[in-house]
């Protein structure tokens, strides 16, 4: 597996993973907001970047936000 990181305008940093067994392109969003694009090994990186740019509205819409705790906020039953 080959991995490269790129900076895409409007999305931010994305990781492109080339996989030998992959048969299609996939976008994965992690819990901390990282964007990964999985592609078959034979597809060039620029195609993955174009795919991510094309799907940027979806990525922005589904990217998890960062939730910070406020002072005095309850966590569970007994912790504040």
């Amino acid at each position: 597996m080959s991995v490269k990181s790129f900076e895409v305008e409007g999305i931010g940093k994305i990781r492109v993973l080339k996989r030998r067994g992959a048969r299609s392109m996939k976008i994965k969003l992690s819990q901390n907001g990282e964007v990964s694009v999985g592609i078959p090994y034979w597809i060039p990186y620029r195609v993955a970047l174009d795919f991510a740019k094309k799907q940027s509205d979806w990525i922005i819409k589904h990217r998890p936000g960062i939730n910070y705790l406020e002072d005095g906020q309850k966590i569970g039953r007994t912790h504040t």
Side-chain angles (χ1 to χ4, degrees), residues 13-17 26-30 34-38:
K13 185 178 176 183
I14 66 167
R15 290 179 5 166
V16 178
L17 301 105
K26 300 176 188 176
I27 295 176
K28 180 180 177 184
L29 301 174
S30 68
E34 282 186 11
V35 179
S36 299
V37 180

Side-chain angles (χ1 to χ4, degrees), residues 29 55-64:
L29 301 174
Q55 300 296 326
S56 63
D57 291 337
W58 183 90
I59 292 170
I60 292 168
K61 180 180 175 185
H62 289 90
R63 181 179 278 175

Side-chain angles (χ1 to χ4, degrees), residues 62-77:
H62 289 90
R63 181 179 278 175
I66 299 173
N67 297 330
Y68 295 102
L69 298 176
E70 296 178 14
D71 190 31
Q73 183 177 1
K74 283 198 162 211
I75 306 170
R77 293 183 181 176

Side-chain angles (χ1 to χ4, degrees), residues 9-61:
E9 186 177 334
I11 300 173
K13 185 178 176 183
I14 66 167
R15 290 179 5 166
V16 178
L17 301 105
K18 283 192 169 189
R19 299 180 182 266
R20 290 202 184 269
R23 295 170 57 174
S24 62
M25 293 190 285
K26 300 176 188 176
I27 295 176
K28 180 180 177 184
L29 301 174
S30 68
Q31 292 287 337
N32 61 0
E34 282 186 11
V35 179
S36 299
V37 180
I39 60 173
Y41 202 76
W42 49 271
I43 292 182
Y45 287 107
R46 65 180 156 72
V47 174
L49 294 175
D50 291 341
F51 179 65
K53 288 177 187 175
K54 191 177 190 183
Q55 300 296 326
S56 63
D57 291 337
W58 183 90
I59 292 170
I60 292 168
K61 180 180 175 185

